């Protein structure tokens, strides 16, 4: 018997497992202290009423033999695929149709699973710092240091890295960005689409934080960029959009026009999903559909405004305290430089033990994240106000 030895080359634990473990240990040792969690980007507001109503109705349907449903269709119910196509794409003037949308249990799994459809010898470009799933899943698939092109994102380049001189086969882009909170304008994303089309590369575009975009001129989808339908796969999630981190629903878009060596990538993904995935529950898909109703849309927007308000408070508190802070405008994340004398993990421990605040150390997202730190706006307003007071005192 052999194991997949690629796993031995990973960091011992996943970033958010490690931060969670340290926070749990601290709480266990200090049961009387109120620890404020602004670490992992997990939502705290309840599901909105339109979603809850749709779930209740779907539960009742499951209780009746006339309306009971068994296995869902492997790529999603037509009602949800169509609602996504109409609202997230056609309604924005983007030509994506329902059969180019694959409903799943979330963007994290799809971002990892997508590697199944690509060959082993590809080179991979990732931002640095980066959502660790992109790198770790490539390591699990056998890629090593030489296969990666790291694109440093720093205060100096506004966290929008230059296009590399060399060729990358697969490029991961996440905008609005996790962890830096940076949003990318059309002009920037266009450069990547042109690069990908010129080199025959594929862009894996993670748009999980799209719903936080409030400024004009910031694309919500990579397909707003001309030529992206020939080079990009897009991942979307209801997690941050509608509080589904515990419910689990997302989707991946692969346009039929995305062709590699004569093969439609959407067909490979369809084959992969049909074999390895059994679909998302009917109740969950009805819940996701309700996000697109008039009430659902208004309710979900109010929740996101609340989180954006939190992020703005954190950023303002840090900025007023003389700390250079970024993100928050079109993103739930605030990214900032740790005070001098600390590295990122040292500051994590300092915040936890002296201020009882859990954040995420920048170096956990990559080498260029060293010296930075991330806080999220996903907490409750009271917690955020208290955290800012503690931090700035
Ligand atoms: C994060 O904190 O970066 C996110 O929660 C990660 C995720 O969505 O999986």
């Amino acid at each position: 018997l052999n194991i997949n030895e690629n796993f031995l080359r990973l960091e011992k634990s996943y970033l958010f497992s490690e931060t969670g473990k340290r926070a749990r240990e601290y709480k266990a040792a200090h049961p009387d202290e109120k620890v404020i969690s602004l670490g992992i980007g997990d939502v705290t507001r309840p599901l909105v009423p339109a979603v809850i109503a749709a779930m209740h109705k779907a539960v009742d349907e499951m209780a009746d033999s006339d309306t009971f449903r068994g296995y869902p269709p492997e790529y999603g119910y037509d009602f949800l695929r169509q609602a996504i196509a109409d609202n997230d794409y056609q309604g924005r003037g983007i030509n994506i149709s329902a059969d180019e949308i694959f409903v799943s249990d979330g963007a994290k799994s799809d971002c990892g699973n997508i590697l199944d459809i690509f060959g082993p010898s590809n080179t991979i470009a990732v931002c640095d710092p980066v959502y660790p799933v992109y790198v770790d899943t490539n390591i699990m698939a056998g890629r090593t240091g030489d296969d990666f092109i790291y694109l440093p994102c720093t205060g100096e380049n506004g966290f929008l890295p230059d296009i590399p001189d060399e060729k990358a086969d697969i490029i991961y882009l996440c905008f609005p960005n996790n962890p830096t909170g940076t949003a990318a304008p059309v002009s920037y994303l266009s450069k990547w689409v042109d690069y990908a089309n010129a080199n025959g590369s594929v862009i894996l575009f993670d748009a999980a934080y799209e719903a936080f975009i409030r400024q004009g001129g910031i694309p919500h989808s990579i397909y707003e960029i001309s030529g992206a339908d020939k080079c990009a796969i897009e991942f979307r999630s209801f997690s941050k959009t509608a509080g589904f981190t515990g419910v689990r629903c997302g989707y991946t878009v692969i346009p039929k026009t995305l062709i590699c060596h004569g093969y439609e990538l959407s067909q490979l993904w369809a084959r992969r999903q049909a074999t390895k995935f059994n679909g998302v529950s009917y109740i969950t898909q009805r819940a996701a559909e309700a996000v697109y109703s008039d009430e659902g849309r208004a309710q979900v927007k109010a929740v996101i405004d609340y989180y954006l308000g939190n992020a703005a408070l954190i950023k303002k508190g840090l900025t007023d305290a003389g700390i250079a802070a970024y993100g928050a405008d079109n993103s739930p994340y605030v990214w900032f430089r740790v005070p001098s004398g600390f590295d990122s993990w040292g500051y994590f421990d300092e915040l936890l033990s002296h201020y009882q605040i859990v954040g995420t150390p920048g170096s956990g997202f990559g080498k260029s994240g060293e010296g930075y730190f991330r806080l999220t706006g996903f907490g409750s307003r009271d917690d955020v106000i208290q955290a800012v007071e503690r931090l700035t005192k």
Side-chain angles (χ1 to χ4, degrees):
L1 172 80
N2 295 310
I3 58 164
N4 179 349
E5 291 189 5
N6 298 319
F7 278 69
L8 308 180
R9 294 188 292 104
L10 294 164
E11 292 286 332
K12 203 153 164 260
S13 59
Y14 179 58
L15 172 61
F16 294 106
S17 311
E18 180 60 28
T19 53
K21 179 170 156 275
R22 291 196 194 194
R24 275 193 308 279
E25 283 169 2
Y26 183 84
K27 284 182 203 165
H30 305 85
D32 298 332
E33 292 181 3
K34 177 173 161 40
V35 176
I36 297 177
S37 184
L38 303 176
I40 188 164
D42 195 5
V43 293
T44 53
R45 300 292 87 200
L47 296 170
V48 300
V51 165
I52 292 293
M55 290 178 100
H56 279 301
K57 184 164 176 283
V59 167
D60 287 341
E61 288 178 58
M62 294 297 270
D64 184 329
S65 56
D66 288 341
T67 47
F68 170 78
R69 318 270 181 137
Y71 285 125
E74 56 249 276
Y75 313 131
Y77 283 103
D78 288 343
F79 63 76
L80 179 57
R81 298 174 92 191
Q82 197 58 54
I84 293 168
D86 291 347
N87 290 280
D88 287 340
Y89 296 101
Q90 307 281 348
R92 290 182 176 274
I94 301 167
N95 189 21
I96 291 290
S97 58
D99 60 355
E100 294 170 310
I101 292 163
F102 299 85
V103 175
S104 73
D105 66 343
K108 178 182 180 179
S109 3
D110 284 359
C111 282
N113 293 335
I114 198 75
L115 293 177
D116 277 4
I117 70 169
F118 294 106
S121 63
N122 292 308
T123 49
I124 310 292
V126 284
C127 291
D128 173 17
V130 72
Y131 181 40
V133 170
Y134 312 149
V135 173
D136 285 1
T137 52
N138 273 285
I139 292 175
M140 290 173 185
R143 296 198 178 86
T144 59
D146 291 347
D147 301 320
F148 289 95
I149 300 168
Y150 288 98
L151 309 168
C153 306
T154 59
E156 288 70 48
N157 61 22
F159 305 104
L160 295 175
D162 290 340
I163 312 288
D165 294 332
E166 70 263 60
K167 182 191 171 193
D169 298 305
I170 295 174
I171 303 137
Y172 288 84
L173 296 178
C174 172
F175 289 107
N177 185 256
N178 179 12
T180 67
T182 310
V186 172
S187 53
Y188 180 73
L189 293 176
S190 297
K191 286 190 214 163
W192 277 113
V193 168
D194 292 346
Y195 167 93
N197 279 325
N199 286 291
S201 320
V202 170
I203 294 173
L204 301 180
F205 192 77
D206 184 348
Y209 300 94
E210 162 278 327
F212 290 79
I213 296 172
R214 287 291 181 269
Q215 266 169 281
I218 307 289
H220 290 245
S221 164
I222 191 70
Y223 305 117
E224 287 178 49
I225 311 295
S226 164
D229 62 318
K230 297 194 171 53
C231 66
I233 293 176
E234 180 160 290
F235 305 99
R236 290 273 190 113
S237 167
F238 292 96
S239 285
K240 321 289 158 125
T241 304
F244 276 41
T245 53
V247 177
R248 307 306 313 150
C249 194
Y251 61 89
T252 287
V253 181
I254 310 189
K256 291 197 164 57
T257 40
L258 176 45
I259 293 171
C260 285
H261 303 297
Y263 297 101
E264 280 183 26
L265 288 189
S266 65
Q267 289 194 0
L268 304 190
W269 183 243
R271 186 70 175 83
R272 189 260 171 222
Q273 289 299 81
T275 307
K276 291 196 183 181
F277 184 63
N278 245 346
V280 175
S281 82
Y282 176 68
I283 299 163
T284 297
Q285 293 197 50
R286 281 296 185 198
E289 181 193 27
V291 171
Y292 297 107
S293 65
D294 288 345
E295 314 79 67
R297 239 203 287 241
Q299 292 164 0
V300 155
K301 180 174 178 298
V303 176
I304 292 176
D305 284 345
Y306 175 95
Y307 292 139
L308 281 168
N310 285 347
L313 282 174
I314 296 171
K315 186 176 181 181
K316 180 168 184 319
L318 292 167
T319 310
D320 288 351
I323 296 170
Y326 310 90
D329 297 332
N330 300 287
S331 161
Y333 294 126
V334 184
W335 183 249
F336 62 97
R337 277 206 167 279
V338 299
S340 61
F342 291 101
D343 64 8
S344 296
W345 275 108
Y347 190 63
F348 174 90
D349 291 332
E350 165 80 4
L351 267 195
L352 183 56
S353 57
H354 289 115
Y355 301 85
Q356 290 75 49
I357 296 170
V358 182
T360 310
S363 56
F365 297 98
K367 215 167 67 180
S368 300
E370 182 56 89
Y372 286 93
F373 204 79
R374 194 192 78 175
L375 292 175
T376 88
F378 284 118
S380 73
R381 181 62 51 89
D382 285 351
D383 277 3
V384 164
I385 290 172
Q386 237 187 77
V388 171
E389 269 172 20
R390 288 185 195 174
L391 269 173
T392 51
K393 239 181 212 158

